[in-house]
Amino acid sequence: MLANFRVGHGQDAHRLVAGRPLVIGGVTIPSERGADAHSDGDVLLHALSDALLSTYALGDIGKLFPPSDPAHAGLDSRRILAEVLTRLVRTAGRVEFLNVAAVVTLDSPKLGERREAVAASVAQALGVGAERVGITFKTSEGLAPDHVQASVSLLVRCEPLHADPVTYKV
Ligand SMILES: [Zn+2]
């Protein structure tokens, strides 16, 4: 049976405020400010989760985890990702993550020395080797000093669990 290749893309941004943790890809970064969010505000896992959902047009995490639901307050974003993966596999069958390409934009603190820890954390959450997770750290050059942002593109290969051939005639 032919495998399907699907591209996914997701983005996220949160305002930085004092007294909140700064969590990037499941890694807590020492910082005076963190993401103002209903959940733990992990921009990287939010963008990754939306990218995964986009591969099969499954909506977005705002729909799955409405901020208005008090049950989601302080939610660990790894739980969001786990739910997204469950839904993706239910739809797509066996899924292989060929690569994840992520860009995180943050002026301060600098994240360069956290690259391996963040890539390893994301890779572990997806069950792949860290060599499949590329992390680019950028600053906004002072254009968005009060925000943390992430953008994720990825490529997945899926093998449907059930034969479901579709023939098109033109
Ligand atoms: Zn978010």
Side-chain angles (χ1 to χ4, degrees):
M1 188 183 307
L2 284 177
N4 289 318
F5 291 88
R6 298 280 181 125
V7 171
H9 185 226
Q11 291 188 8
D12 194 42
H14 287 280
R15 185 178 299 279
L16 292 169
V17 294
R20 290 277 305 170
L22 180 63
V23 186
I24 308 278
V27 177
T28 300
I29 311 285
S31 171
E32 293 177 359
R33 298 191 298 171
D36 186 17
H38 197 61
S39 69
D40 64 9
D42 189 330
V43 279
L44 182 45
L45 292 195
H46 293 178
L48 173 61
S49 296
D50 275 341
L52 290 166
L53 290 171
S54 76
T55 57
Y56 276 81
L58 297 174
D60 55 53
I61 59 173
K63 181 178 158 196
L64 296 184
F65 297 91
S68 56
D69 188 339
H72 302 149
L75 186 64
D76 183 332
S77 293
R78 283 173 291 199
R79 281 188 50 206
I80 295 176
L81 179 60
E83 172 66 21
V84 164
L85 289 171
T86 299
R87 287 172 183 247
L88 178 61
V89 169
R90 202 181 293 152
T91 300
R94 203 156 64 83
V95 180
E96 180 185 6
F97 305 104
L98 294 178
N99 78 306
V100 174
V103 180
V104 177
T105 304
L106 178 69
D107 281 10
S108 175
K110 296 284 188 289
L111 297 171
E113 63 187 39
R114 305 278 171 177
R115 190 188 319 278
E116 286 185 13
V118 171
S121 174
V122 171
Q124 185 184 33
L126 294 175
V128 301
E131 78 285 354
R132 297 198 185 200
V133 180
I135 308 275
T136 302
F137 291 126
K138 305 287 287 182
T139 75
S140 77
E141 297 281 356
L143 294 172
D146 299 320
H147 291 79
V148 57
Q149 304 175 40
S151 174
V152 171
S153 297
L154 51 83
L155 183 64
V156 300
R157 188 162 87 79
C158 307
E159 293 191 21
L161 295 174
H162 311 290
D164 186 19
V166 178
T167 305
Y168 292 98
K169 286 185 178 173
V170 182

